[in-house]
Amino acid sequence: MRDRSWTRLAVILVACAGCRGPRPVAPSSKVRTPRLLVTIVVDQLAAWEAAERLGLLPADGGFARLRREGLTASELHFEHAATDTAAGHAALYSGEVPRVSGVFANEMPGPDGKPRSILTDEKTHLVGSDGVEIPERPGSSLARLRVETLADVLVRALPHARVYSFSLKDRAALPASGRKPTLALWLDVATEQIVTSSALPAPTVWAARVGSKEAVTSVRSNGWTLDEADRGWVEARAAAAPDDQPGEGDLAGLGRAFPHAAVGSAKAMRATPLGDRVLFALARSALGEIAADRTGAPALLALSLSSHDYVAHVFGPHSWEAWAQLVELDRRLGDLLATADRAVGPDGYAVMLTGDHGGGTLPELLPEARGLRCELGGPADHWERPCAPARRIAPHAVVESLEAVFAAVLGPGPWVVGVAEPFAYLTAHGGALSEADRRKLVEAAKTALAPLGIEDVIDARAATAPCPAGESRATLVCNAIDPTGGADLFLLVGPGAFFDADVVPGFGTSHGSRFLYDRAVPLLVRAPGRVKAGEVRATPVSFRAFAKTAASLLGVPAPEGARAGEDLAGPAR
Ligand SMILES: [Zn+2]
């Protein structure tokens, strides 16, 4: 690639009449601005997992290269309880907590009462990989997001910039893509293809090819098996744990032990490395397009790798499958970096890798099998992992308990539309209650739900601003609740408790709590000339550092919410 694509003066001309963004970066110093920033969110990559496992991966893999060539921040802290995918991605890419961003849960009840993506937008349609609208299916958009994102700022400051965002989930692809991406794509399991929304550009020719139903089916037909070398590595890492542990689920016929030879659907494929393989293929094509662009336009390639999350939801993080997924992810990351080397040169790009939330463990495992050394009744560890067994909370059990107790206090219902974790939604009947009756209802809910593992119940409509600063329980809860978002009751889970993710009901694990095992993630920043190679930052960093640093690397102002964040690639370093 030409040299001029690598170093340029950080003079950003912001043509945004009426925009409330900050002023351009001062052209006072020569700042190395890579042409390409690759942001990678490994879904459910906890700080505890990174601390315990990344050092065990092969020296020629992607993680080792990122750690060797860049900065490792061991703990990026989210500042909201309800540590889930949509809220996490919105927080990373905007620098705002859910209370401000408006993206406070993965799902909300739709018109039929059934939970659906919080980003569902009835004014849009789903668009297939072939570019044709699927009329009976609503699409998704960022209409609910009230704040600007990294990508929004990028294309406003540099209108010729390219933004690509790929995930298996809309709630991960969209916060990264912003409102005006070049391409934002995710997987639709019902039609088994890569899709977008009519609010966004149609898939390109190469995206149509890589993301078609035929291509997705061909990838999953590979099955998930281990060769001898990987099997040995996995077996050694999993120590004495059996491949089929208590609590592991069987998703859509995938089975609970290797080989997972038959991956019979796109739904099952998500919980294998094959799901991410489709995303890596899209990323390779995007890198080819970026390399072929002779204008040298800056580019953001955002990947949210969802398979890591689904594998934990189905098998738990101490399973053979979790180790096998990690080593495969590591290899694919290494390949991606090599592709980026060829596309723009090793010094032509920066990489930031993090998680959108952490995760807990299978309730069925003993503390030793969960990697904890617990005296009887001992304290939680640095990551606040409890020694007591985790609790799996079934949403339908919550609804049944609430209905019963509300009927006893206030008379016959129905009172509850449903639970889309971590919120309960009331019927119109419940929503119209007086403040005094709502208070009664909240008190009754606390008593009814405590035995299920729910530590507190908060009236989500009554929560008042502003939230106190810091990371206290009160702050984390306050930051998680959007009082205008339509939810009624916030259900705060206790230590080790989680709502059943319903990927395989009654099995697997999840996340969503305010504790560090769910709330702390790692952040790796590879940025030649901008961060010191091999540096480790052990003290916690606010999640706002993600968008702040990314904007700094792209040479554009940070999104408003991230302005107070730390620039890990700042001039002082
Ligand atoms: Zn997630």
Side-chain angles (χ1 to χ4, degrees), residues 247-251 254-255 271 309-316 362 503-504 507-509:
E248 291 189 17
D250 178 0
L251 175 64
L254 202 55
D309 179 71
Y310 285 110
V311 166
H313 280 307
V314 174
F315 304 102
L362 291 173
V503 179
V504 184
F507 294 91
T509 186

Side-chain angles (χ1 to χ4, degrees), residues 434-514:
S434 70
E435 212 173 297
D437 278 346
R438 278 181 82 89
R439 269 201 297 276
K440 261 195 255 175
L441 198 128
V442 167
E443 287 311 310
K446 283 183 195 181
T447 312
L449 300 183
L452 298 180
I454 291 171
E455 190 180 280
D456 203 358
V457 178
I458 294 118
D459 187 342
R461 293 178 191 271
T464 52
C467 301
E471 297 182 26
S472 68
R473 179 183 127 151
T475 297
L476 298 172
V477 169
C478 182
N479 284 340
I481 299 173
D482 173 9
T484 63
D488 288 286
L489 303 175
F490 178 79
L491 312 174
L492 182 70
V493 296
F498 57 83
F499 284 94
D500 191 332
D502 266 356
V503 179
V504 184
F507 294 91
T509 186
S510 197
H511 44 82
S513 82
R514 68 184 187 280

Side-chain angles (χ1 to χ4, degrees), residues 57-58 226 230 233-234 322-332:
L57 290 165
L226 294 177
D230 275 356
W233 189 88
V234 165
W323 285 103
Q325 196 278 333
L326 185 65
V327 77
E328 162 102 14
L329 169 65
D330 183 54
R331 200 172 293 137
R332 299 273 165 189

Side-chain angles (χ1 to χ4, degrees), residues 162-344:
R162 293 168 173 271
V163 175
Y164 302 86
S165 180
F166 310 131
S167 175
L168 298 183
K169 309 174 180 179
D170 65 337
R171 56 186 178 261
L174 289 168
S177 78
R179 277 109 176 153
K180 290 185 177 172
T182 310
L183 197 56
L185 302 169
W186 58 93
L187 178 72
D188 178 53
V189 290
T191 58
E192 305 221 319
Q193 62 178 322
I194 292 294
V195 296
T196 188
S197 155
S198 56
L200 299 163
T204 56
V205 172
W206 55 261
R209 192 181 63 245
V210 177
S212 68
K213 182 171 183 177
E214 292 69 30
V216 169
T217 306
S218 161
V219 170
R220 75 168 163 80
S221 70
N222 286 295
W224 186 15
T225 54
L226 294 177
D227 64 23
E228 217 169 293
D230 275 356
R231 191 182 172 88
W233 189 88
V234 165
E235 222 171 330
R237 293 296 165 277
D243 188 358
D244 185 358
Q245 297 180 101
E248 291 189 17
D250 178 0
L251 175 64
L254 202 55
R256 295 155 51 116
F258 285 101
H260 301 283
V263 180
S265 62
K267 195 173 175 188
M269 182 180 78
R270 294 179 304 178
T272 75
L274 303 170
D276 282 352
R277 205 177 286 183
V278 175
L279 303 177
F280 279 117
L282 290 168
R284 263 197 311 279
S285 296
L287 285 171
E289 189 164 282
I290 291 164
D293 175 11
R294 310 306 292 174
T295 69
L300 171 64
L301 169 59
L303 297 178
S304 178
L305 302 171
S306 317
S307 288
H308 182 268
D309 179 71
Y310 285 110
V311 166
H313 280 307
V314 174
F315 304 102
H318 294 95
S319 61
W320 284 34
E321 286 81 2
W323 285 103
Q325 196 278 333
L326 185 65
V327 77
E328 162 102 14
L329 169 65
D330 183 54
R331 200 172 293 137
R332 299 273 165 189
L333 273 178
D335 293 346
L336 180 76
L337 300 179
T339 308
D341 289 341
R342 290 192 293 275
V344 293

